[in-house]
Amino acid sequence: MKRIRTQVAIIGAGPAGLLLAQLLHRAGVDSLVIERQSRPYIEGRIRAGLLEQGSVDTLTEAGLGERLHREGLAHEGMELRFAGGNQRIELFGLTGKRVTIYGQQESVKDMVAARLATGRPLLFEVADTALHDVSSDAPRVTFTHEGVPHEVTCDAIAGCDGFHGPSRAAMPPEVLRVYERVYPFAWLGILADARPISHELIYARHEDGFALATMRSETVSRLYLQCAPDEDLALWPDERIWEALHQRLGAVNEGPITQKGVTAMRSFVAEPMRHGRLFLAGDAAHIVPPTGAKGMNLAVADVRLLAPALVALLRGDGRLAETYSARALARIWKVQRFSWWMTAMLHKFSADDPFEHRVQTAELDYVCGSEAARRSLAEQYVGLPYDE
Ligand code: APR
Ligand code: PHB
């Protein structure tokens, strides 16, 4: 058994765990990051790619903005397409803020490089992660790495291990409450070497279902189609995907498809996000459907609150740690509501429901026709201000 002592044990090297490690390092706090997957796996995993201005600012302040500023695509608007027409939402004009397209795995690569450059530990391919004594002042994490059992003693554990990780389950069941909604559809997403149809994002509601045209660069398109939750990709040869995209989005530039996948849609919140010396952040505590691209942005917002709370706790001041969960959840529920609303407005829920279709059209018409409604959409889409 190899024994290690650190201040904060961070479980999971996704955006939440890696950003937390970076912010703690900059505050002079030692941490150990453990990750179940390999480095190439987490650096290649395709996820959403839209950052709120606040997330860009947070990453920049954390010293992670260099390539993001060089390669990220800043957008000042987005488009809603429905009932044969389209409407641009002037995000910048309405809010003074922009959003930035930058693939999540690119942020992860930047964060892994920054972590390795600090010389502080980041262990990949760990197995059997388990949390112990989280209610005490001396919590522990055990795991196996390269065949060797390890035991980490620490002052706090950050559970940044995503929806399927062990951290949430280490909260005593009597204190944990979960709120959940599973949607009757999923997204079929592709990456294609094709020029994006527009330099901004297009969200389309069509009678066949939702579609989204986004991008990763000026030559790589990222396109999504609403599909069944258990969709069989074998039934979607490239021609069928392009045909459905043309149908729902109009003219789309075709090109070789380099990746295909199905993303499940769920809304989920676990409360509270702290018990004793265990703190949850990111997907470990909450999931949003991808319609507003809020997953990574919420992870960043959690960590913005968690890092200073842990720094203060380690200095003997537990006040920010006490309120971490309530402060994080205040934002999370607003963003849950926004993601649910965007999802409800743009997707087809039932095969044949003309009432639903007309109400959605009326809602989209209202949003597009009212400056107050457009402003409300825009201020949530670019990211609500941090309430610290
Ligand atoms: N031990 C160590 N690491 C683990 C374990 C475990 N037992 N279980 C899971 N992990 C790792 C996962 O392999 C993953 O790399 O925890 C990491 C969690 O990262 P993410 O799933 O990326 O979650 P998070 O950092 O909260 O980021 C949220 O990710 O899912 C997207 O859309 C979501 O953009 C959002 C972002
Ligand atoms: C993406 O670029 O992958 C993306 C953008 C916006 C969304 C969802 C996904 O709402």
Side-chain angles (χ1 to χ4, degrees):
M1 169 84 76
K2 186 168 170 190
R3 289 178 210 284
I4 302 175
R5 158 83 209 156
T6 188
Q7 289 176 291
V8 181
I10 301 178
I11 307 178
L18 290 167
L19 178 60
L20 180 64
Q22 174 76 353
L23 293 176
L24 291 178
H25 167 72
R26 287 166 79 92
V29 170
D30 188 38
S31 66
L32 166 76
V33 184
I34 57 169
E35 167 58 49
R36 187 165 65 93
Q37 304 287 357
S38 67
R39 182 178 179 187
Y41 181 92
I42 64 160
E43 292 188 343
R45 189 162 48 187
I46 311 276
R47 300 272 190 68
L50 186 118
L51 295 173
E52 296 174 355
Q53 183 149 330
S55 299
V56 171
D57 295 345
T58 305
L59 293 169
T60 307
E61 286 157 23
L64 298 164
E66 200 249 328
R67 197 162 65 93
L68 165 60
H69 286 276
R70 210 163 3 100
E71 295 179 15
L73 305 172
H75 287 186
E76 299 195 345
M78 58 91 140
E79 201 173 296
L80 294 175
R81 218 169 254 197
F82 62 101
N86 52 41
Q87 166 82 41
R88 180 168 187 264
I89 306 291
E90 286 189 30
L91 301 171
F92 187 76
L94 290 162
T95 66
K97 293 184 188 171
R98 299 177 176 84
V99 291
T100 299
I101 286 285
Y102 190 64
Q104 183 173 309
Q105 78 276 20
E106 302 306 322
S107 294
V108 166
K109 281 181 205 161
D110 297 343
M111 292 190 232
V112 168
R115 174 67 181 185
L116 296 176
T118 66
R120 296 198 197 258
L122 162 55
L123 305 181
F124 291 102
E125 298 181 68
V126 307
D128 312 319
T129 307
L131 298 83
H132 313 271
D133 305 332
V134 298
S135 306
S136 80
D137 287 346
R140 291 175 300 120
V141 177
T142 53
F143 61 91
T144 307
H145 184 242
E146 294 175 345
V148 181
H150 285 64
E151 181 187 60
V152 183
T153 52
C154 54
D155 299 308
I157 300 175
C160 302
D161 45 1
F163 186 63
H164 301 286
S167 294
R168 191 174 62 253
M171 306 266 277
E174 63 278 12
V175 305
L176 193 71
R177 275 206 71 174
V178 301
Y179 303 84
E180 185 167 30
R181 177 152 302 190
V182 177
Y183 298 91
F185 41 75
W187 282 10
L188 193 168
I190 62 161
L191 266 183
D193 291 330
R195 213 164 31 81
I197 12 175
S198 155
H199 69 281
E200 292 176 347
L201 272 57
I202 303 173
Y203 290 81
R205 205 243 15 207
H206 186 272
E207 32 194 64
D208 293 350
F210 171 77
L212 169 61
T214 168
M215 67 207 69
R216 286 295 172 271
S217 71
E218 271 138 37
T219 53
V220 176
S221 292
R222 176 90 171 133
L223 296 148
Y224 297 99
L225 284 170
Q226 177 180 345
C227 64
D230 54 354
E231 195 71 60
D232 179 1
L233 276 177
L235 299 176
W236 285 86
D238 296 4
E239 312 76 66
R240 181 172 173 211
I241 294 177
W242 290 118
E243 200 180 290
L245 287 167
H246 286 301
Q247 191 69 26
R248 299 183 198 184
L249 284 161
V252 175
N253 300 316
E254 294 188 22
I257 296 180
T258 54
Q259 196 261 351
K260 274 186 210 175
V262 173
T263 309
M265 306 274 283
R266 153 198 316 271
S267 299
F268 175 92
V269 181
E271 297 185 359
M273 290 168 64
R274 177 219 177 182
H275 176 76
R277 292 293 178 115
L278 169 61
F279 298 80
L280 303 180
D283 277 16
H286 43 76
I287 297 284
V288 286
T291 321
K294 293 302 186 197
M296 171 156 171
N297 293 296
L298 267 187
V300 170
D302 288 352
V303 169
R304 256 185 94 92
L305 296 177
L306 182 53
L310 289 173
V311 172
L313 180 70
L314 294 173
R315 289 204 196 104
D317 178 353
R319 283 175 298 176
L320 288 177
E322 284 293 335
T323 56
Y324 163 68
S325 175
R327 287 180 295 128
L329 285 163
R331 181 187 188 85
I332 288 159
W333 276 111
K334 292 190 192 95
V335 176
Q336 282 289 350
R337 194 212 66 83
F338 176 69
S339 303
W340 160 83
W341 173 72
M342 286 279 280
T343 303
M345 180 167 70
L346 291 163
H347 289 75
K348 179 170 169 163
F349 279 69
S350 26
D352 182 24
D353 185 351
F355 180 86
E356 171 190 282
H357 195 75
R358 277 173 173 69
V359 166
Q360 285 177 330
T361 307
E363 178 144 37
L364 283 158
D365 249 343
Y366 169 65
V367 167
C368 294
S370 152
E371 196 198 277
R374 284 200 304 280
R375 193 182 297 281
S376 167
L377 189 165
E379 75 172 347
Q380 297 178 83
Y381 191 84
V382 300
L384 292 170
Y386 295 121
D387 219 6
E388 283 148 303

